[in-house]
Amino acid sequence: MNKKKLLAMLCAGTMLIGTTACSSEPPAESGDSSSTEQAQNSSTGASGDTVTFGITAPMTGTNSMNGEYIMNAANLAADKINAEGGILGKELVLVTEDEVDNMQASVNAMTKLANNSEVMAFFGSSSSSNDIGVSPIVAEQKVTMFAAGSSANIPEEKNEYMWQVRTTDDKTGRRIAKAAIEELGMTNPAIMYSTDSFGAGLKDQVVAGLEELGITVADSNQYGFTADDKNFAPLITQIQNSGVDGLIGISMSQLQAAMICQQIDAAGLDLPMIGGNSFCTAVCRDNAGDAANGWYAIADWTSEVSTPNGRAFEDAYQEAYGAPSDYISATCYDAILLFKEACEIAGTTTDRQAINDALTQINNFEGVMTTYNYQENHCLASDQMLVQNQDGLAVMIGTVE
């Protein structure tokens, strides 16, 4: 699809998104209320003809590629829903706030959405720490938030208005451990992990999962790196000399995962390798090139999905945008579908509390990424995918429950 046609799709009036996403003006600075005012003015929710859903996305800054994936999927969902008659007969309108690439801007963006009385629910950050940071405001405003983060610490907030669309890391860690042993035959793996809260937490869950299956990872085979690290050669050399028979990689950053793949390939490290979601994303594969091939991952999503709903979404995404989707695309798309389902269960598009309460009735709802069911911890996702990077694609091997 050419750029002019894509821009026309993205800017097709208030049917799809608030004016901030399509404006030719520079984006508002963090803390500037103009973007929220524009979004509110673009919605005609007061007339009773529309229902408004909020989107938090990094439209500017170092993570703007993720913002593009999010908005592409959000527009695709809005197109589909509105073409099929909307939500309870009302047109779905999206309003967007830019979370840029830092926690303060992200919390500010989500706060604006929570405080916007037109917004009946919204899609939160893919960073768990950002989601946790805004949790008190979400509870205060009593507005449904679909958190895109996967930390097992999010349920610890005990926030009845915060819901997770992706599987929590405690389950992911055990699934990585199981696949490392049963699929890749590891008996003495090394673990490379980012020392931020996400990486350290998921590493601990992997270690616990391996322990449950009879394998202990010595502290000397656990190799931490910071979120800012770009040179992994010293750690890779240590791993090469350690006598391990496999490698487990954990990083929240998709670009950092790509650098790890490249530097392992350059060092000639030849071991079975499995990682978390970042190691099979389009961002990782595109940046790492052939160096990403061979890696397995426990993933929330792959553009090579083979499930019926997933395949239909991916085909529609590629037809609209001329490129594969990424996990954050599927996450946002499913969040909007879950919002629609909750409105229909509740029989309302104007009662925030009733919409939120309706999510407790979600049962075997088939999204594009997974099947969703109500759970007490407010994580709605049921399973994940085992994938392997092959010739630039993340090929789906199967699902892991």
Side-chain angles (χ1 to χ4, degrees), residues 180 184-192 210 215-223 235-249 264 268-274:
L184 279 70
M186 297 183 192
T187 59
N188 180 33
I191 302 177
M192 285 183 68
L210 290 168
I215 291 179
T216 299
V217 182
D219 290 344
S220 59
N221 282 335
Q222 299 178 34
Y223 302 88
L235 297 184
I236 294 169
T237 298
Q238 292 179 59
I239 293 169
Q240 284 177 312
N241 296 328
S242 66
V244 297
D245 63 0
L247 175 62
I248 297 171
I264 284 175
L269 182 61
D270 186 17
L271 291 172
M273 293 175 288
I274 186 169

Side-chain angles (χ1 to χ4, degrees), residues 287-356:
N287 283 276
D290 290 344
N293 288 337
W295 275 83
Y296 286 80
I298 295 296
D300 297 310
W301 177 253
T302 172
S303 60
E304 297 304 306
V305 63
S306 59
T307 60
N309 282 9
R311 192 67 255 156
F313 163 76
E314 183 60 28
D315 289 345
Y317 188 99
Q318 294 197 29
E319 181 179 356
Y321 304 110
S325 70
D326 203 9
Y327 84 95
I328 198 64
S329 309
T331 306
C332 181
Y333 190 91
D334 275 355
I336 296 174
L337 295 188
L338 285 163
F339 169 66
K340 177 178 183 288
E341 179 74 1
C343 288
E344 292 177 348
I345 291 172
T348 180
T349 61
T350 58
D351 187 333
R352 279 181 169 183
Q353 187 64 54
I355 293 169
N356 191 74

Side-chain angles (χ1 to χ4, degrees), residues 58-118:
M59 305 305 296
T60 58
T62 58
N63 297 323
S64 60
M65 183 180 292
N66 274 359
E68 185 175 343
Y69 281 121
I70 291 168
M71 289 313 306
N72 285 350
N75 282 297
L76 203 61
D79 271 342
K80 176 179 172 62
I81 289 170
N82 288 330
E84 294 174 354
I87 301 178
L88 296 177
K90 295 184 178 182
E91 179 185 328
L92 174 62
V93 174
L94 307 178
V95 294
T96 307
E97 290 292 347
D98 185 3
E99 68 170 334
V100 198
D101 55 9
N102 62 84
M103 183 175 184
Q104 187 59 61
S106 179
V107 171
N108 288 348
M110 289 185 282
T111 298
K112 289 179 183 179
L113 293 173
N115 288 335
N116 183 346
S117 61
E118 297 278 346

Side-chain angles (χ1 to χ4, degrees), residues 17-309:
I17 55 178
T19 57
T20 53
C22 296
S23 172
S24 61
E25 297 298 320
E29 295 294 327
S30 175
D32 187 339
S33 63
S34 61
S35 60
T36 298
E37 292 169 356
Q38 288 175 343
Q40 289 174 326
N41 291 339
S42 73
S43 172
T44 57
S47 72
D49 297 329
T50 64
V51 54
T52 305
F53 186 88
I55 302 288
T56 309
M59 305 305 296
T60 58
T62 58
N63 297 323
S64 60
M65 183 180 292
N66 274 359
E68 185 175 343
Y69 281 121
I70 291 168
M71 289 313 306
N72 285 350
N75 282 297
L76 203 61
D79 271 342
K80 176 179 172 62
I81 289 170
N82 288 330
E84 294 174 354
I87 301 178
L88 296 177
K90 295 184 178 182
E91 179 185 328
L92 174 62
V93 174
L94 307 178
V95 294
T96 307
E97 290 292 347
D98 185 3
E99 68 170 334
V100 198
D101 55 9
N102 62 84
M103 183 175 184
Q104 187 59 61
S106 179
V107 171
N108 288 348
M110 289 185 282
T111 298
K112 289 179 183 179
L113 293 173
N115 288 335
N116 183 346
S117 61
E118 297 278 346
V119 172
M120 292 297 104
F122 70 93
F123 179 74
S125 176
S126 60
S127 169
S128 297
S129 58
N130 296 350
D131 293 330
I132 292 170
V134 81
S135 179
I137 296 163
V138 169
E140 177 184 334
Q141 294 300 320
K142 298 181 179 180
V143 57
T144 297
M145 171 180 160
F146 294 97
S150 60
S151 173
N153 291 326
I154 291 178
E156 297 302 315
E157 293 293 299
K158 307 296 184 184
N159 187 338
E160 67 173 293
Y161 299 96
M162 189 171 290
W163 302 81
Q164 285 176 276
V165 186
R166 297 167 57 202
T167 301
T168 50
D169 294 336
D170 52 341
K171 292 182 179 179
T172 301
R174 282 162 169 76
R175 289 167 179 169
I176 291 173
K178 183 177 181 181
I181 294 172
E182 296 182 0
E183 298 290 336
L184 279 70
M186 297 183 192
T187 59
N188 180 33
I191 302 177
M192 285 183 68
Y193 69 98
S194 58
T195 55
D196 55 23
S197 58
F198 165 81
L202 183 53
K203 183 266 296 182
D204 288 344
Q205 296 296 339
V206 171
V207 170
L210 290 168
E211 287 275 3
E212 291 170 2
L213 296 170
I215 291 179
T216 299
V217 182
D219 290 344
S220 59
N221 282 335
Q222 299 178 34
Y223 302 88
F225 54 86
T226 71
D228 297 326
D229 278 345
K230 297 180 179 179
N231 179 17
F232 305 98
L235 297 184
I236 294 169
T237 298
Q238 292 179 59
I239 293 169
Q240 284 177 312
N241 296 328
S242 66
V244 297
D245 63 0
L247 175 62
I248 297 171
I250 300 169
S251 174
M252 183 175 73
S253 168
Q254 300 167 56
L255 290 174
Q256 199 171 47
M259 287 186 279
I260 291 171
C261 292
Q262 289 175 321
Q263 292 178 38
I264 284 175
D265 183 66
L269 182 61
D270 186 17
L271 291 172
M273 293 175 288
I274 186 169
N277 191 70
S278 295
F279 285 85
C280 69
T281 60
V283 174
C284 175
R285 289 181 282 113
D286 290 348
N287 283 276
D290 290 344
N293 288 337
W295 275 83
Y296 286 80
I298 295 296
D300 297 310
W301 177 253
T302 172
S303 60
E304 297 304 306
V305 63
S306 59
T307 60
N309 282 9

